Amino acid sequence: MRAVQFHDFGGPEVLQLVERDQPTPGTGQVRVRVAASAYNAADGGMRGGFLPIPVQLPHVPGYDVSGTVDALGDGVDGLSVGDAVIGFLPMERDGGAAEYVLAPADTLVSAPTTLPLADAAALPSVALTAWQALFDEGHLQAGQRVLIVGAGGVVGKYAIQLAARGGATVIATASPRSADAVRAAGAHQVIDHTTTDPLGALDGQVDVLLNLAPIDPAQFAADVAAVRDGGIVVSTTASMATPGDDARGVRAATVFVQPNRGRQTELVSLVDAGELTVEVTRRIPLAELPELHAEADAGGVTGKVIVLP
């Protein structure tokens, strides 16, 4: 089978398109015929050796995957050959940038039925990140107010949809380039962070501040003033400390996405109910994955890109 892998950590040039043996599922595993994998910024971090994840070399990237169950290992219940599935795979193991991938059975859930199977690869980890940041860490509730900083990215638009659906008032910062998309996702107020100080644009404090952008640490610390006493600051930017305010009881939490099969099943249900939109900006063939990594290293990838084997 074809796969993209790297034997050593480094720049995009370490990625190679290779032929590998088709894997055989062990106990508790299934083999998935890949419809698509999704590119995430963490793929570049793992390839470069920047993230504290014990990647096994050689490594195939692409921990978000969609596809069809192709073979079952021993001890697998609840899945059958031919099932359409999505999964957030263990990040340290081989991912879905290949024609086939092995997955622990407990990482897979039924794929949405209302969109192409390949596009469903764009859902797992990014939507889980938004859910875990807002509700598991932020404890966001109906009637509360949330300020989402850096809402124009993929996680941000999932966060807007989920927060608005949960009955929260959503204030979002975004650049002019993404303002329309952020508004369409359900934000009640959009602040242009390129021209406006978010603190000055707010009409009152918020219950939750969710940061999704690598902003200046001094600005991040100043933004805590937007949070009410007893509120919370949540960030997905693990490379910088998340500030709080102990004197006012403002808690700080940093989120790194964790697998959660139950939550993933709920997210799929929301997609099929028309309450959550899956964003796919580009679709590229497997052979172009090294070029995509180079593009990301050079200045970032806009939107969500899926990789077709």
Side-chain angles (χ1 to χ4, degrees), residues 94-105:
D94 281 342
E99 293 180 303
Y100 294 88
V101 65
L102 294 182

Side-chain angles (χ1 to χ4, degrees), residues 5-247:
Q5 66 179 26
F6 57 90
H7 286 268
D8 300 294
F9 299 112
E13 69 277 0
V14 302
L15 293 167
Q16 295 181 324
L17 181 64
V18 299
E19 286 287 340
R20 292 177 53 150
D21 292 337
Q22 191 179 82
T24 300
T27 300
Q29 293 182 319
V30 304
R31 185 172 65 214
V32 175
R33 182 176 182 177
V34 176
S37 60
Y39 173 79
N40 292 292
D43 287 317
M46 288 189 287
R47 184 214 70 229
F50 307 133
L51 294 182
I53 296 171
V55 174
Q56 300 173 2
L57 297 176
H59 181 72
V60 177
Y63 52 82
D64 281 336
V65 70
S66 64
T68 305
V69 174
D70 178 71
L72 304 174
D74 292 338
V76 174
D77 296 316
L79 290 170
S80 301
V81 171
D83 285 350
V85 293
I86 63 170
F88 171 29
L89 306 179
M91 298 175 75
E92 68 277 8
R93 302 184 191 176
D94 281 342
E99 293 180 303
Y100 294 88
V101 65
L102 294 182
D106 60 6
T107 65
L108 301 175
V109 302
S110 295
T113 59
T114 53
L115 72 163
L117 180 57
D119 287 4
L123 178 69
S125 70
V126 280
L128 273 177
T129 299
W131 185 300
Q132 290 170 359
L134 287 170
F135 304 114
D136 295 342
E137 287 290 349
H139 305 293
L140 186 66
Q141 299 178 17
Q144 291 188 328
R145 288 159 51 88
V146 57
L147 171 61
I148 302 176
V149 176
V154 179
V155 174
K157 279 170 276 188
Y158 280 123
I160 292 168
Q161 293 180 76
L162 291 170
R165 178 188 173 274
T169 298
V170 181
I171 305 106
T173 73
S175 68
R177 182 181 64 182
S178 57
D180 288 344
V182 166
R183 206 170 279 111
H188 299 92
Q189 179 184 357
V190 180
I191 301 171
D192 179 357
H193 66 80
T194 66
T195 61
T196 306
D197 176 12
L199 293 180
L202 291 173
D203 60 355
Q205 290 181 306
V206 299
D207 301 279
V208 179
L209 166 59
L210 171 57
N211 176 63
L212 304 171
I215 61 175
D216 177 73
Q219 180 63 57
F220 197 4
D223 288 346
V224 176
V227 182
R228 66 164 175 81
D229 293 1
I232 182 169
V233 180
V234 184
S235 179
T236 61
T237 307
S239 59
M240 59 189 297
T242 303
D245 188 340
D246 292 341

